[in-house]
Amino acid sequence: TGKTLLAKAVAREAEANFIAIKSSDLLSKWYGESEQQIARLFARARQVAPTILFIDEIDSLVPARGRGMGEPQVTERVVNTILAEMDGLEEMQSVILIGATNRPALVDPALLRPGRFDELVYVPVPGKDGRRRILAIHTSKMPIAKDVDLDDIAKRAERYSGADLEDLVRRAGLYALREHGGLVETVSMKHFERALKDSRASVTPEMEEEYSKMEAALKQNALRVEPIGFVAPGMLTPERDSKHGD
């Protein structure tokens, strides 16, 4: 849905340096190497501050601890390193961290507490006006016929993401190429009609409903998370209450 593009736009509007990295680039099979790479990444971001530091697919880097995902020891060390970099002894110093994920429920709740990822932004698929503008961008250099109605296409392409719309325009162009033997004067509405039939939205109504429920639950879970440590509800017995009754 354009999460990476949105992060780039934030950096451009803020006139800040932009560092983008995938979670897989930070994970290593060698003991302690993942933590060192994370520390080096944050040190580099501080050196060139102001910086927007963008980590894509962050759920694979900082999954919730204690759920048996991945190697528990490695996961806990990586999560603790990220937490220490975000609000440890060394301040962020004009470094803004943005993480993107399609599975926010898998992210460790400790990262969603105030002072870390303060804002949770749900990036939905574009609305009708947004789809119309995206179609206009992708068809700006395409010789489209006068009968092509971008407003009608945008209306019918419900739940299409930016990538889906780009694929739709590409398909229409390919159908026109095949019809005219490689010499295309214009791409007409019939080519877009065929492209609409042969393409589909990558986001389903069920997915949208799931994300809307998840959006409300995430903040509540973050506020209920236990402080960093090894004490969980039920582990401690209130001996004082049982002995003294106060």
Side-chain angles (χ1 to χ4, degrees), residues 81-100:
T81 302
I82 290 281
L83 292 174
E85 290 291 344
M86 293 180 74
D87 62 356
L89 295 175
E90 192 171 356
E91 295 180 357
M92 290 291 278
Q93 299 174 2
S94 299
V95 176
I96 301 297
L97 177 62
I98 300 177

Side-chain angles (χ1 to χ4, degrees), residues 2-14 16-23 26 41-42 45 50-59 61-62 82 86 92 94-101 107 111-112 115-123:
K3 298 182 293 296
T4 304
L5 188 63
L6 183 61
K8 290 180 180 178
V10 169
R12 184 177 180 85
E13 290 297 316
N17 291 304
F18 182 71
I19 298 177
I21 194 164
K22 293 181 292 185
S23 295
L26 293 171
L41 176 65
F42 277 87
T51 308
I52 301 295
L53 179 56
F54 176 72
I55 302 179
D56 199 11
E57 304 300 341
I58 199 169
D59 56 279
L61 183 67
V62 287
I82 290 281
M86 293 180 74
M92 290 291 278
S94 299
V95 176
I96 301 297
L97 177 62
I98 300 177
T101 177
V107 176
L111 274 92
L112 306 180
R116 289 153 189 171
F117 285 120
D118 293 308
E119 296 295 335
L120 299 180
V121 181
Y122 172 50
V123 184

Side-chain angles (χ1 to χ4, degrees), residues 153-194:
I153 297 172
K155 182 179 179 180
R156 294 162 61 183
E158 190 176 0
R159 293 190 306 277
Y160 275 52
S161 68
D164 295 335
L165 293 169
E166 183 181 7
D167 178 65
L168 175 69
V169 174
R170 188 187 301 113
R171 283 175 183 268
L174 286 173
Y175 293 146
L177 281 171
R178 291 171 185 170
E179 181 179 322
H180 298 290
L183 298 174
V184 180
E185 293 185 2
T186 58
V187 180
S188 62
M189 190 64 183
K190 66 178 181 180
H191 300 125
F192 280 96
E193 293 277 1
R194 184 178 173 188

Side-chain angles (χ1 to χ4, degrees), residues 127-139 150 154 165:
K128 182 176 178 293
D129 292 338
R131 295 195 296 270
R132 173 64 174 79
R133 293 184 66 181
I134 293 171
L135 286 169
I137 291 170
H138 289 302
T139 58
L150 294 182
L165 293 169

Side-chain angles (χ1 to χ4, degrees), residues 29-80:
K29 64 179 181 179
W30 304 109
Y31 183 87
E33 181 64 22
S34 299
E35 300 92 290
Q36 291 180 16
Q37 294 207 94
I38 292 169
R40 285 195 291 266
L41 176 65
F42 277 87
R44 178 187 168 200
R46 291 186 180 98
Q47 288 174 355
V48 296
T51 308
I52 301 295
L53 179 56
F54 176 72
I55 302 179
D56 199 11
E57 304 300 341
I58 199 169
D59 56 279
S60 62
L61 183 67
V62 287
R65 293 165 290 181
R67 292 188 183 176
M69 298 177 59
E71 299 181 41
Q73 292 183 344
V74 176
T75 297
E76 291 194 8
R77 291 201 308 270
V78 169
V79 173
N80 288 338

